[in-house]
Amino acid sequence: MLPVVFGHTARAAGLAAGYLADLWWADPQRAHPVAAFGTAAAALEKRTYADSRAAGVAHTAALLGGLAALGAAAEKAAARRGPVWTFAVTAVSTWVVLGGTSLARTGAQMADRLGSADVDGARTLLPSLCGRDPAALDADGLARAALESVAENTSDAQVAPILWGAVAGVPGLLVYRGANTLDAMIGHHSPRYERFGWAAARFDDAVNYVGARATGLCAVAVSGAPGATWRAWRRDAKKHPSPNAGVAEASFAGALGVQLGGPTQYAHRLEMRPPLGDGPPPRVDDLRRAVRLSRGVQALATVAAVSVAARTGRRASLRRSAA
């Protein structure tokens, strides 16, 4: 009986094990597959780059299609060997793809450096969280940038990928992380990537749509201030230039009782972001609270994803039995 039950829930068990592995070990420290994908993407770009959307579509499709094929082949091979292999392949893929623990640890390190008035150290650490120009930021600006990045990446690094793992297995995990990596590489506004990176940016928006809103719902559930979290999300998220980051950032702003937004300096441009939430600008203690909130959201989203995967596995098994 146990092997049969485990076979129905191997994907769910693998997702849970991958999440626990991320909690214990964070990201792999050596030969990270995401870094290898980035290297391959950069090498392919030398051959495929042209200042056009069509070239960007072909580049993005080739890379993500390759990941989908790799994930499907790995999952199919594991399924032929039995549920223990499905569990193992899912667990390893989940561990490799998730980045929630590294995000929380980096946010905590940023808070520690700001708390000890090590502004230069905080500036050095900021690129690990986001692509803003740290030289343009004082201590308060660094705290705000870090908090906004913790909020947005709670969805990108944890909630969205584990939900994709629940509904699409290993291919969903790999394609999601590849899309997110490509968006970070080429999906931004710059003279080189305005057109070539368009497809990567739009695809990333699409695969993050549900994850961002799940992040908002989880924040409502675990924040301790559900009304304020919900109001900030519903009122302010649409003001943000990103259809997904706005949900996560507005929800965190409402949950923490702070106001995010304002001048945002990137390497190639200055953006004037609209205000999100009510209250004072965030300080170091607010960043610490944001890290705790992020961990709570990550945990609740994982429980939901594991539940979805378990129910899907049982339904698929019943359909096969009936046939």
Side-chain angles (χ1 to χ4, degrees), residues 59-109:
H59 178 78
T60 300
L63 288 164
L64 299 186
L67 286 178
L70 175 64
E75 197 167 65
K76 185 176 181 180
R80 284 199 299 266
R81 292 191 170 204
V84 172
W85 282 88
T86 296
F87 162 78
V89 169
T90 304
V92 171
S93 300
T94 303
W95 175 46
V96 165
V97 162
L98 297 185
T101 297
S102 292
L103 171 67
R105 289 179 180 176
T106 306
Q109 290 170 7

Side-chain angles (χ1 to χ4, degrees), residues 43 116 187 200:
S116 62

Side-chain angles (χ1 to χ4, degrees), residues 2 42 74 94-95 102 122 126 144 146 168 201 219 229 232-233 251 276:
L2 181 59
T94 303
W95 175 46
S102 292
L126 187 67
R144 187 202 117 200
T229 306
W233 169 10
S251 299
L276 307 176

